[in-house]
Amino acid sequence: MKVIIASDHGGVNLRREIADVLDELHIEFEDIGCNCETSVDFPDYAIPAAERVASGEFDRGILICGTGIGMSISANKVNGIRAALVHDLFTAKATREHNNSNVLCMGERVIGPGLAKEIARTWLETDYEAGRHENRVGKITKYEGRKA
Ligand code: RB5
């Protein structure tokens, strides 16, 4: 699995913690920043990262901002992206099993690093169940007019 990670200024610290999780799990990843001291605009990171997942260059993406909301709204504008905003372990597992989410978004100002790292581990290690969910996810792909 190859993962791309990104954040705005509101998610820099948590993004670095997530990089540690990826190292611990021996998952190959690219970190595209930001490395900013000043504020940046989250779409400038979310959209390029999401495009590189949608293109197939990366299997998954993890995007962090202050709330996770801006990242998830931006990433979900890219065809083929199913970005899930997650702040608990139940939905981390469910969104992989049911939605086949390919981008995880979290907010550094919403949860602590311990829970966020556990969410990332759960999300990375949970498989899509397919089955009855195929038709539902397929309807999203059909609406987009492209194959994910
Ligand atoms: C930046 O201040 C903040 O708005 C951003 O990180 C994010 O929370 C937006 O959804």
Side-chain angles (χ1 to χ4, degrees), residues 38 59 64 66-67 70 77 82-83 94 101 107-108 110 114 118-119 124 127 136 144:
T38 55
D59 303 294
I64 315 291
T67 60
K77 298 296 180 191
R82 293 175 297 279
S101 55
E108 181 180 318
V110 181
E118 200 53 41
I119 286 169
L124 288 162
D127 291 328
R136 297 161 186 167
E144 291 174 324

Coordinates of all heavy atoms in Angstrom, one line a residue, residues 38 59 64 66-67 70 77 82-83 94 101 107-108 110 114 118-119 124 127 136 144:
T38 N 3.4 29.9 8.9 CA 2.3 30.8 8.7 C 1.1 30.0 8.1 O 1.2 28.8 7.7 CB 2.6 31.9 7.7 OG1 3.1 31.3 6.5 CG2 3.7 32.8 8.3
D59 N -2.6 4.6 -3.1 CA -3.8 3.8 -2.8 C -4.7 4.5 -1.8 O -5.9 4.4 -1.9 CB -3.4 2.5 -2.1 CG -2.5 1.7 -3.0 OD1 -2.9 1.2 -4.0 OD2 -1.3 1.5 -2.6
I64 N -5.1 16.1 7.1 CA -5.3 16.7 8.4 C -5.4 18.2 8.3 O -4.6 18.9 7.7 CB -4.2 16.4 9.4 CG1 -3.7 15.0 9.3 CG2 -4.5 16.8 10.8 CD1 -4.6 14.0 9.9
G66 N -7.4 21.7 10.9 CA -7.8 22.0 12.2 C -9.0 21.1 12.6 O -9.1 20.6 13.7
T67 N -10.0 21.1 11.7 CA -11.2 20.3 12.0 C -11.3 19.1 11.2 O -12.2 18.2 11.5 CB -12.5 21.2 11.7 OG1 -12.4 21.5 10.3 CG2 -12.5 22.5 12.5
G70 N -12.5 21.0 6.2 CA -12.1 21.7 5.0 C -11.4 20.6 4.1 O -11.6 20.6 2.8
K77 N -14.4 16.7 -3.7 CA -14.6 17.3 -5.0 C -13.9 16.6 -6.1 O -14.3 16.8 -7.3 CB -14.2 18.8 -5.0 CG -14.9 19.6 -4.0 CD -16.4 19.8 -4.3 CE -17.1 20.7 -3.3 NZ -18.5 20.6 -3.4
R82 N -13.4 9.0 -2.1 CA -14.4 8.8 -1.0 C -13.7 9.2 0.3 O -13.0 8.3 0.9 CB -14.9 7.4 -1.0 CG -15.7 7.0 -2.3 CD -16.1 5.6 -2.3 NE -14.9 4.7 -2.4 CZ -14.2 4.4 -3.5 NH1 -14.6 5.0 -4.7 NH2 -13.1 3.7 -3.5
A83 N -13.7 10.5 0.6 CA -13.0 10.9 1.8 C -14.0 10.9 3.0 O -15.1 11.3 3.0 CB -12.5 12.4 1.6
A94 N -15.9 1.3 10.1 CA -17.1 1.2 9.3 C -16.9 1.9 7.9 O -17.4 1.4 6.9 CB -18.3 1.9 10.0
S101 N -13.7 3.8 1.8 CA -13.1 5.2 1.7 C -11.6 5.1 1.4 O -10.9 4.2 1.9 CB -13.3 5.9 3.1 OG -12.8 5.2 4.1
G107 N -9.2 16.1 12.3 CA -9.0 17.4 12.8 C -8.1 17.4 14.0 O -8.4 16.8 15.0
E108 N -6.9 18.1 13.9 CA -6.0 18.2 15.0 C -6.6 18.9 16.2 O -6.2 18.6 17.3 CB -4.7 18.9 14.5 CG -3.6 18.9 15.6 CD -2.3 19.6 15.2 OE1 -1.9 19.4 14.1 OE2 -1.8 20.4 16.0
V110 N -9.6 18.7 17.1 CA -10.8 18.0 17.6 C -10.5 16.8 18.5 O -11.2 16.6 19.5 CB -11.6 17.4 16.4 CG1 -12.9 16.7 16.8 CG2 -11.9 18.6 15.4
G114 N -3.3 10.4 20.6 CA -3.4 9.0 20.9 C -4.6 8.4 20.1 O -4.5 7.4 19.4
E118 N -4.7 5.8 16.7 CA -5.4 4.6 16.7 C -6.4 4.5 15.6 O -6.6 3.5 14.9 CB -6.1 4.4 18.1 CG -6.5 3.0 18.5 CD -5.3 2.0 18.3 OE1 -4.2 2.3 18.7 OE2 -5.6 0.9 17.8
I119 N -7.1 5.6 15.3 CA -8.0 5.7 14.2 C -7.3 5.5 12.9 O -7.7 4.7 12.0 CB -8.7 7.1 14.1 CG1 -9.7 7.3 15.2 CG2 -9.3 7.4 12.8 CD1 -10.2 8.7 15.5
L124 N -6.3 2.1 8.3 CA -5.3 1.5 7.4 C -5.4 0.0 7.3 O -5.1 -0.7 6.3 CB -3.9 1.9 7.8 CG -3.5 3.4 7.5 CD1 -2.3 3.8 8.3 CD2 -3.3 3.6 6.0
D127 N -10.3 -3.9 5.9 CA -10.6 -4.1 4.5 C -12.0 -3.7 4.2 O -12.9 -3.8 5.0 CB -10.4 -5.6 4.1 CG -9.0 -6.0 4.2 OD1 -8.1 -5.1 3.8 OD2 -8.7 -7.1 4.5
R136 N -24.0 0.2 -3.6 CA -24.2 1.6 -3.1 C -23.0 2.5 -3.5 O -23.1 3.6 -4.0 CB -24.3 1.5 -1.5 CG -25.5 0.8 -1.1 CD -25.5 0.3 0.3 NE -26.6 -0.5 0.6 CZ -26.7 -1.3 1.7 NH1 -25.8 -1.4 2.6 NH2 -27.8 -2.0 1.9
E144 N -20.4 10.0 -10.7 CA -19.2 10.8 -11.1 C -18.9 10.6 -12.5 O -18.1 11.4 -13.1 CB -18.0 10.3 -10.3 CG -18.1 10.6 -8.8 CD -16.9 10.0 -8.0 OE1 -16.5 8.8 -8.3 OE2 -16.4 10.6 -7.1

